[in-house]
Amino acid sequence: MMEQVRIFDTTLRDGEQAPGFSMNEDAKLRVARALAALKVDVIEAGFAAASPGDARAIARIAEQVEGPVICSLARTTEADIRAAGAALANAPRKRIHVFLGTSPIHREAKLGLTPAEVLEKIRTSVALAREYADDVEFSAEDAIRTERDFLVEALSVAAASGAMTLNVPDTVGYTTPDEIYELFRHLVAHVDRPREAVFSAHCHDDLGMAVANSLAAVRGGARQVECAVNGIGERAGNCALEDVVMALKTRADVFGVSTGIDTTRLLAASRTLAQATNSPPPRNKSIVGANAFAHESGIHQHGILKNRETYEIMKPEDIGLATHGIVLGKHSGRHALVARAKALGFALEGEALDRAFAAFKEVADEVGIVDTARLMAILAGSGREGRQ
Ligand code: KIV
Ligand code: ZN
């Protein structure tokens, strides 16, 4: 049995707090249901103290969405923790996620706190959160730019106060895979964890390394990854859920861990979110983009028609995509045209094939992608002798 990595989804909190991705209560509920169908371990449903609407959305998700642990974010203030506790009151399984900046720049420029005051706030806020939920997570905001010894101390205090998940955010997307791997190794070896708290990675994508960094953190000992569908989130976004999940599945030989995710629901979750936020992922987005399993060029199509593994490392059906993946355009070749024509009931060969292929290239030059209706018109005009 492979060890499991928990998937903590923050689409509805870190994802939703970025410009352009805001959702109303009903939309958040729809996305939460898609996340539950995906079987994520934890849904961070929002930040209860942020607005009455967010608190209501968390409460509705807590009452109506079955399966995952439902979580609310909270600062280390009493008011935030009480708001999170109240919003989560009816959740069968709940988590309060308390965070506080630990790096010098956060301590000095933002919070105006000494290191000792930071430790004291961690101690009291985690203990207060434990009054509302057995399951408490602590995040050392800007952990990556925190002095190593102080980070070890801060996480040890959180664990001693009752936090069962110790999250290590790369808040500004600054780290690299080698660096974060080494950091997790160090934390696993040095943080005092009386009840075997789980280490968690939370990576942002400012330098385009959020997924690679999360995977490196897993290799270093993280057993929870925080991520968002379609990689939405602050600035350049969070680690994309679909990417990290499919990387762990496809390269289990490298990572040696599994997740509990039903990957056949990945595309549905991506589409539900795209609809809720009116923001589809880019065509070339890994896993869920429109081009992720599409093949237009003739050489690739020829290979795919013979054996999909020539140009595909994952099966489209594994992410919930039912398609042949062949797109007919000006780069396509005869093999693809013959195969699609056959699927439509036309046996193309000899002169009929030459005529159809020439007509197809003309149309493709004009319109780009040749859809089924246009293809049918071409095939019908290429001579009845071709009809099966
Ligand atoms: O990026 C970050 O540091 C966060 C924390 C609140 C976990 O989102
Ligand atoms: Zn974040």
Side-chain angles (χ1 to χ4, degrees), residues 13-22 232-235:
R13 199 279 296 168
D14 214 337
E16 202 243 348
Q17 81 190 43
F21 296 114
S22 180
I232 69 167
E234 283 283 2
R235 304 178 310 281

Side-chain angles (χ1 to χ4, degrees), residues 13-14 169 171 202 204 234 238:
R13 199 279 296 168
D14 214 337
T171 303
H202 176 112
H204 280 270
E234 283 283 2
N238 284 72

Side-chain angles (χ1 to χ4, degrees), residues 277-292:
T277 56
N278 205 14
S279 304
R283 288 192 77 85
N284 65 330
K285 169 75 190 64
S286 38
I287 315 293
V288 293
N291 285 1

